[in-house]
Every structure is written in structure tokens, then in C-alpha cells.
Amino acid sequence: MDLSEEHKTYLAHKHQGGLNNQKGNTFEVIYATKEIIHLYSLGVDLDNTYVAAQLKDTFVDDFQIIYNDGLKVYHQCKDTISLSWDEDKKGKPFYDFRWQKVYSVANGESFQLKIVYSNTGCKIHTSPIPSVIEDVTIKELFPAYPNLNAILLDSEDLQSEIKSILFADRDGHTLDKLSVFAEVIRSEWLELAAPNRLVSLSEIKDQTILKYGAIINFKDLPNVELSDELKNIFDRFPEFSYLVNGQNIFWSYRKLSGQFYLTDELNSRINETNPSEIFQLITLFN
């Protein structure tokens, strides 16, 4: 079912500048980051699970999840106390949800609509979902946190989800390190997000590893295999010890310690340099 000309005009105006506004909207961004982390913790098919913002011809358009079985979950995120189902007119939740259902049903989609709101004082919190959309609509209360660290302090569930995604850190998963992971996911989502663009969870993960591999270590990555040449170089220094943990190498020498992400480029550089002094080796890690 194609959009009417009236709705094409409405959505063109509704989406204009929308993603830029979203990038500055803490409520929407933090909620999307929380949802992406949750998807990773579930172990979904990363190559075929997508997230998106501002999809074309979409009424409920702040954030979408498209699962590998084809299910689409449309999210509208509203951080305002003046939120209700009362008015059925353009720009109001009921109008957008009602028409999203009409087009999604007509196009044979498997879908769900979700209204995400921040305030228990708004009418949507206490009023029932209108009957015309109640079979496809759910509500979620999500407080308006000022930043990701604030939600981590408040949510042991989110802390546990991040811990389930990452390899164990030698020094333990401190709150600071969990916060770093959440912030990296937020940053990569915003960098990859563009109007009408599907972003796979694999793409976010690959970008995260490429940029932050030294501090972000996804659990489903196997332990990196050290070549015999590299092991011989490490073993050359009796007081040097190391631990392989996923793609990270934790090392220590006397009172010094650190970690690095072993890329093919770094592996080649160490082998080519073939250091004969311990500090020459440690310098290569950086």
C-alpha cells in the first residue's frame, strides 16, 4: 500500500532535520543505546538484526529494530509530560500510531509499535491504549537520564547485560569500564545512523572493535592465536608475563603492566623489529 500524497507531504515535513535533532536528544539516544546493548546481550543474529532511525514512509520513526525473522519494532520516544492519546491529529501519537498500523497491516508486515515515555505524570502512563491500536502497541516507561553513567548507576540489569557481552577483565569490570563500553556503543550508533539507513549490529560491533579494540573485547570473539615467533619473543624476557583474553593481551614486567589489542599489523611489526631489549618491546605495544 503506497502512501497518500497527503501523508508523503506530512512525513517529509516530520522527518526534516529529524536525525540531527535526535543526535542532540539525550532521551532518544540513551534509550536507543540501552536497546542496542540489550540486543547484544540476547545473542541475536548480528548480521541480520538491524537498527535504524527515520526510515522512509514511517510514522512511528524515532527508532526501529528489525529482527532476522522480519519482525519490525517501531519506537516513538517522548520526554514530555504533555503526552496523551486524546488527540487524533497530525503530530500527535495517536495519529502516527493509527496510520503506522494501517500501512504496516496493508503491506503485510510483522510489526509492533512502542511508545516510550519518561514521566509518570503524563496521561499515557495511566490511560489505556486506544482500542484501534491496542493489539499492536505497548508502552514503556523509561526515565530521562542525563547521561549513560546515570542509567548504569541506577540499573543493575544494564550492568549485567554489559558484563555478559564482554570478556572478563583482569582487574574486573568496574563501573567506569562498563560506562566506557556504553559510551562507545552510543558514539558508534550515532556515527553510523543516517536517515533511511539500516545499520546491522555487526556493523556497530566491527566499528567498535576497529576503533576501541584495546578496551572493548566482545566475548564471542575467540582468543587470538599467538604465533610461535611472537611467543619466542615474549619468552625471551624472563620477568615478562602475559595473558591472552579474547583479542586483548594483558602484560606485566616487574612493576609495569598494561594491555593492548593484537592486530595483524602490530604482530608483524613486533616480528620485524625482533626486539632484544624489554623496553623496546613494551614501546611497540603503544
Side-chain angles (χ1 to χ4, degrees):
M1 179 180 178
D2 294 331
L3 289 176
S4 68
E5 290 302 318
E6 177 187 1
H7 284 154
K8 286 180 182 178
T9 301
Y10 167 64
L11 292 181
H13 178 73
K14 177 179 168 69
H15 296 338
Q16 188 174 11
L19 190 60
N20 288 331
N21 290 338
Q22 187 202 48
K23 290 185 176 183
N25 188 322
T26 300
F27 181 67
E28 293 173 18
V29 171
I30 289 179
Y31 178 81
T33 303
K34 183 266 294 184
E35 286 292 283
I36 291 169
I37 290 171
H38 180 63
L39 290 170
Y40 281 126
S41 74
L42 293 176
V44 298
D45 181 347
L46 302 186
D47 290 326
N48 297 297
T49 302
Y50 300 87
V51 288
Q54 303 285 302
L55 285 183
K56 186 179 179 181
D57 300 342
T58 303
F59 289 80
V60 181
D61 64 341
D62 285 334
F63 181 65
Q64 292 89 28
I65 300 173
I66 300 93
Y67 291 90
N68 65 318
D69 61 0
L71 173 66
K72 295 183 179 181
V73 183
Y74 297 84
H75 300 73
Q76 201 75 42
C77 302
K78 297 293 184 183
D79 179 19
T80 175
I81 196 170
S82 59
L83 193 63
S84 74
W85 298 115
D86 293 347
E87 297 179 274
D88 184 12
K89 65 180 184 179
K90 292 176 182 177
K92 298 298 182 179
F94 182 46
Y95 182 91
D96 288 335
F97 276 62
R98 181 169 67 82
W99 280 108
Q100 185 64 62
K101 177 183 177 179
V102 169
Y103 284 104
S104 290
V105 168
N107 291 322
E109 290 183 356
S110 172
F111 72 100
Q112 186 178 65
L113 310 179
K114 181 184 285 191
I115 184 76
V116 181
Y117 60 98
S118 64
N119 199 302
T120 57
C122 68
K123 287 186 177 180
I124 273 183
H125 180 66
T126 54
S127 61
I129 297 170
S131 59
V132 70
I133 59 170
E134 65 178 346
D135 59 326
V136 295
T137 301
I138 59 175
K139 301 189 294 185
E140 180 177 347
L141 174 64
F142 183 71
Y145 294 95
N147 51 54
L148 284 165
N149 195 57
I151 183 177
L152 276 168
L153 286 169
D154 194 43
S155 175
E156 292 185 2
D157 287 342
L158 185 58
Q159 292 180 34
S160 296
E161 287 181 349
I162 297 176
K163 290 176 184 178
S164 76
I165 297 166
L166 300 178
F167 264 110
D169 190 294
R170 185 175 62 174
D171 301 319
H173 287 310
T174 64
L175 188 61
D176 284 346
K177 290 182 179 179
L178 299 182
S179 183
V180 166
F181 174 80
E183 192 58 41
V184 165
I185 295 299
R186 182 201 65 82
S187 175
E188 292 312 302
W189 156 240
L190 288 182
E191 183 171 315
L192 292 166
N196 210 37
R197 185 179 188 276
L198 299 181
V199 180
S200 74
L201 293 186
S202 285
E203 191 174 3
I204 298 174
K205 177 179 176 179
D206 290 346
Q207 284 292 101
T208 298
I209 293 170
L210 180 65
K211 294 181 181 179
Y212 305 96
I215 57 174
I216 301 298
N217 208 11
F218 282 81
K219 189 177 291 183
D220 61 342
L221 293 174
N223 281 342
V224 64
E225 289 289 337
L226 271 61
S227 66
D228 290 338
E229 293 81 3
L230 191 59
K231 290 178 182 177
N232 289 335
I233 291 173
F234 287 171
D235 292 341
R236 184 176 296 164
F237 310 102
E239 295 181 81
F240 178 81
S241 62
Y242 61 91
L243 172 69
V244 179
N245 191 204
Q247 302 296 106
N248 286 340
I249 309 295
F250 295 99
W251 63 269
S252 63
Y253 176 76
R254 296 182 179 175
K255 295 183 178 181
L256 300 175
S257 64
Q259 69 182 87
F260 62 90
Y261 183 68
L262 185 63
T263 62
D264 291 340
E265 179 184 359
L266 177 56
N267 184 74
S268 298
R269 190 160 69 244
I270 294 173
N271 286 323
E272 289 170 3
T273 304
N274 195 21
S276 58
E277 296 181 353
I278 183 62
F279 291 108
Q280 187 181 16
L281 174 64
I282 291 174
T283 299
L284 290 172
F285 299 158
N286 298 320

